[in-house]
């Protein structure tokens, strides 16, 4: 089998030891995906010629991390034993798309338009905690890279009217 990179192995071992020491459960899922879509339609007649065909591939990832710890602590101010529960979740996701649109315009002819865009990268953090009867929680979303689409002009070919 394949071995992990030594740095990755060290991080995983450290997290495992920390989770054991804190009576915690740590989990992560990393998913890569790909999708190909083709859509279109056309009208061809002596009165009108128009239509479009679009082929696009999308590739992305999603990373989910979760950690949970539960236990009991002695409150120094009351010497009472309190139960605690902490939970942290984080997810990051992003994707990249590339493709080509092909269209037919009655006045300008056949055209090609490249499609290049990305969804950006967004990270969501959720923290929850409870000590005794006190509950707190927070959800925050960070946009690390904003979504964008590369604007490329149509390239027209074949115009019977010129």
């Amino acid at each position: 089998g394949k071995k992990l990179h030594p740095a990755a192995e060290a991080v995983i071992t450290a997290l495992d030891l920390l989770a054991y020491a804190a009576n915690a459960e740590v989990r992560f899922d990393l998913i890569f995906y790909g999708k190909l879509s083709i859509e279109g339609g056309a009208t061809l007649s002596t009165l009108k010629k128009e239509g479009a065909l679009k082929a696009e591939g999308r590739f992305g990832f999603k990373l989910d991390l979760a950690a949970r710890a539960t236990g009991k602590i002695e409150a120094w101010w009351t010497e009472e034993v309190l139960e605690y529960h902490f939970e942290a979740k984080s997810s990051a996701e992003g994707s990249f798309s590339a493709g080509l649109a092909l269209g037919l315009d009655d006045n300008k002819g056949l055209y090609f338009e490249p499609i290049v865009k990305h969804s950006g990268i967004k990270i969501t953090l959720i923290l929850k905690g409870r000590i005794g009867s006190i509950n707190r929680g927070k959800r925050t979303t960070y946009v690390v890279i904003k979504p964008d689409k590369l604007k490329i002009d149509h390239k027209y070919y074949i115009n019977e009217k010129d």
Side-chain angles (χ1 to χ4, degrees), residues 117-122 143-149:
K117 59 185 173 180
H118 65 84
S119 70
I121 295 180
K122 180 172 63 171
V143 176
V144 179
I145 299 174
K146 292 182 180 178
D148 197 11
K149 180 177 181 180

Side-chain angles (χ1 to χ4, degrees), residues 7-130:
E9 193 171 344
V11 169
I12 291 169
T13 302
L15 286 173
D16 197 28
L17 289 172
L18 183 61
Y20 178 76
N23 191 26
E25 172 189 332
V26 178
R27 179 177 167 222
F28 74 93
D29 295 315
L30 177 59
I31 300 167
F32 292 96
Y33 62 88
K35 178 180 169 185
L36 178 63
S37 63
I38 300 173
E39 58 187 67
T43 302
L44 300 172
S45 70
T46 54
L47 298 175
K48 190 171 199 159
K49 296 180 188 97
E50 67 180 13
L53 176 66
K54 182 172 133 182
E56 188 173 0
R58 181 176 178 179
F59 309 95
F61 76 95
K62 183 171 184 182
L63 173 64
D64 289 323
L65 300 167
R68 235 186 291 213
T70 58
K72 296 179 182 184
I73 57 171
E74 187 175 320
W76 55 269
W77 60 92
T78 65
E79 296 184 9
E80 182 181 344
V81 176
L82 300 173
E83 290 186 8
Y84 69 85
H85 178 83
F86 293 104
E87 191 172 329
K89 294 180 183 178
S90 174
S91 67
E93 58 184 306
S95 65
F96 170 78
S97 298
L100 182 67
L102 168 69
L104 183 61
D105 183 285
D106 199 29
N107 297 315
K108 296 182 179 179
L110 184 69
Y111 67 84
F112 295 96
E113 179 184 9
I115 302 166
V116 179
K117 59 185 173 180
H118 65 84
S119 70
I121 295 180
K122 180 172 63 171
I123 297 174
T124 303
L125 299 172
I126 301 170
L127 301 172
K128 296 178 184 177
R130 184 185 81 232

